[in-house]
Amino acid sequence: MFYRTLITSVLGIVLCTACLAGSTWAWFSVSITSSENVLTAANFSGTVEITADEETIAVSTEGCSHVAALAAGREYNIILTAEGQAAGYARVTSGEENHYTPPLFGGGVFRFTIIPEEDTTIRICFIWGTYSGEPDISDGGTLQL
């Protein structure tokens, strides 16, 4: 009688171990493949063109920013061209001051004018998403720095 109970318990332990090993193997060896579904991440970027008195101002790229040096008292016409499938906005930074555009969409063109009161360097960064505050640069508007 004791051996019969012992053999039943051992067989139960062996069966449980086999089930655990089988489910573990199935968990780690399963794979899903599909050639029909292609995942593409949305992207957002842009280009910057700055002119003053029909002269093109040099714009360099540093990380996500487009950087340009502006002289005091000149009127600079800035054209931002959004690229990509997603929407976003542009942040214009001069010193510690940040200014924001309304939403920009891929292929869209946004124009504004900057008139700096003193020599300054501006950084324009295109940012994916929506700005959480109120934009303070309007299309066709003028920004006094």
Side-chain angles (χ1 to χ4, degrees):
M1 180 85 168
F2 175 72
Y3 291 111
R4 188 174 177 194
T5 306
L6 185 62
I7 290 175
T8 305
S9 296
V10 169
L11 285 176
I13 291 171
V14 169
L15 181 63
C16 286
T17 304
C19 289
L20 177 64
S23 63
T24 303
W25 176 80
W27 179 271
F28 288 107
S29 64
V30 70
S31 65
I32 299 173
T33 58
S34 173
S35 60
E36 299 296 319
N37 298 328
V38 178
L39 296 176
T40 305
N43 60 26
F44 179 74
S45 62
T47 59
V48 176
E49 181 184 331
I50 302 176
T51 58
D53 303 322
E54 298 184 25
E55 170 193 352
T56 300
I57 307 302
V59 178
S60 63
T61 304
E62 294 178 8
C64 81
S65 297
H66 300 271
V67 181
L70 308 181
R74 288 184 77 183
E75 184 174 306
Y76 295 92
N77 299 308
I78 300 176
I79 300 172
L80 307 178
T81 305
E83 299 172 348
Q85 299 87 11
Y89 62 96
R91 178 183 65 219
V92 179
T93 304
S94 173
E96 298 295 318
E97 254 182 277
N98 289 320
H99 302 277
Y100 301 91
T101 67
L104 305 174
F105 301 95
V109 176
F110 186 85
R111 302 169 197 275
F112 65 100
T113 303
I114 291 181
I115 305 173
E117 293 178 2
E118 56 188 46
D119 291 354
T120 188
T121 299
I122 63 165
R123 294 179 179 278
I124 300 174
C125 186
F126 291 91
I127 302 169
W128 178 81
T130 305
Y131 176 56
S132 60
E134 281 294 317
D136 56 352
I137 303 174
S138 60
D139 195 10
T142 301
L143 183 61
Q144 299 280 342
L145 297 179

